[in-house]
Amino acid sequence: SVLQKQLTELAPGTPNEVVLFYWAGEAKSQLYVDLQEKVEQQLMHTNHGLKFIRSDASTQAEMFAGAGMTQDTFPLLFVATDSMDRYEGEPIVESLLAFIQEKLEPITPQQEANVLKFTSEPDFNEKLASGPLFVKFFADWCSACKAMKKAYIQSATRMVGTVRFMDVQCNGGPQAEAFCGQFGISGYPTIKLFRSRTNVIDFEAARTVA
C-alpha cells in the first residue's frame, strides 16, 4: 500500500524485528503496545532471534506529518524478516504469533521459481499468450520493493495454476528499461495484471499475501 511504502522509506526495518509505531496516550495504540509486550514475553525463551522495537510516533510527529501521517494513522505493527510486512489483525496474541511464524519461514528456491523473470519482450509476449500475467515493475535500489518481495513470492506460490507472476527490473538493462517505458512506469513498485497487451489492470490493493 502507499502507507506501507511511505513508512518503509521513513523507517525501514532490519531483519528479524517486530516493529511497532504507536501514538502515546491513544487507547488503540496501547492495545498494540500490550500485545507486542505479551508476544515478546511468550517468545523470550525460544530461539527466534527476534528483536522487539517500539517507537512513539508522537515524538516524531513532524517527520511523519511530512509523509501525510497523523495520530489517526497509528498504531502500525510490522514484522521485518527478509521483507517488512504489516500486521493488520486484531490485538490477539495467538493471531500475531501465527503471523510472525509465517514470516519467519524461509523462502525456498522452489517458491522463488514461481515468479518468472523478464528476459525480453518476445519472451514476455510468448508467456502472455499462454495466460494472464501479474507483473511487478521494480528497481533494485527500491526499499519498498524489497519490503514486499517475500509477500509477492508467497502470493505467487499460492496462486500457482491460477495466474502466473513476473518480475520486471526496470533498471536491469536496455530491454527491461524500454519495456517499462512502454507502460509509463515512473514509480516503484508498480503492479499490473496483464490479460493481454491492451487489457492491463493497475493493481492498487494492499501488497500483502492474499
Side-chain angles (χ1 to χ4, degrees):
S1 67
V2 173
L3 173 61
Q4 183 160 337
K5 179 180 177 182
Q6 289 173 329
L7 195 58
T8 300
E9 291 172 347
L10 282 170
T14 56
N16 296 334
E17 289 185 347
V18 180
V19 185
L20 173 64
F21 298 91
Y22 68 97
W23 198 277
E26 289 291 317
K28 186 175 180 181
S29 278
Q30 189 58 50
L31 285 176
Y32 282 82
V33 169
D34 294 343
L35 171 67
Q36 193 196 40
E37 289 177 345
K38 290 175 183 176
V39 169
E40 183 176 8
Q41 289 171 2
Q42 285 209 18
L43 294 177
M44 187 178 300
H45 302 296
T46 64
N47 187 26
H48 55 74
L50 288 171
K51 294 181 180 179
F52 288 78
I53 309 296
R54 281 178 283 280
S55 179
D56 181 0
S58 68
T59 66
Q60 307 169 69
E62 187 174 341
M63 179 187 74
F64 287 112
M69 301 181 198
T70 67
Q71 69 183 68
D72 293 333
T73 306
F74 303 93
L76 295 170
L77 180 59
F78 292 87
V79 176
T81 51
D82 52 357
S83 63
M84 189 172 178
D85 300 302
R86 182 180 174 187
Y87 174 73
E88 298 186 74
E90 294 297 318
I92 300 170
V93 170
E94 292 75 16
S95 178
L96 179 55
L97 283 169
F99 184 81
I100 291 172
Q101 182 60 42
E102 177 185 348
K103 300 309 171 186
L104 287 176
E105 292 178 1
I107 293 295
T108 67
Q110 290 81 3
Q111 288 175 308
E112 287 199 66
N114 290 324
V115 178
L116 305 171
K117 306 299 181 186
F118 176 89
T119 57
S120 67
E121 188 167 352
D123 179 69
F124 174 85
N125 291 336
E126 182 179 338
K127 287 182 168 61
L128 183 59
S130 299
L133 288 172
F134 200 62
V135 181
K136 179 184 71 182
F137 297 88
F138 75 103
D140 59 359
W141 48 259
C142 166
S143 60
C145 302
K146 294 174 183 177
M148 70 171 293
K149 179 180 177 180
K150 187 170 186 177
Y152 192 70
I153 293 171
Q154 289 173 330
S155 293
T157 300
R158 293 187 182 189
M159 297 295 286
V160 166
T162 303
V163 63
R164 292 160 302 155
F165 283 54
M166 176 179 280
D167 271 343
V168 181
Q169 183 181 332
C170 293
N171 65 337
Q175 290 195 67
E177 184 176 350
F179 184 76
C180 294
Q182 289 184 43
F183 296 97
I185 306 302
S186 59
Y188 309 111
T190 293
I191 301 177
K192 295 178 181 288
L193 175 62
F194 286 77
R195 298 187 184 278
S196 69
R197 288 294 297 252
T198 56
N199 186 351
V200 183
I201 302 170
D202 291 333
F203 183 72
E204 300 291 348
R207 292 161 185 171
T208 55
V209 180

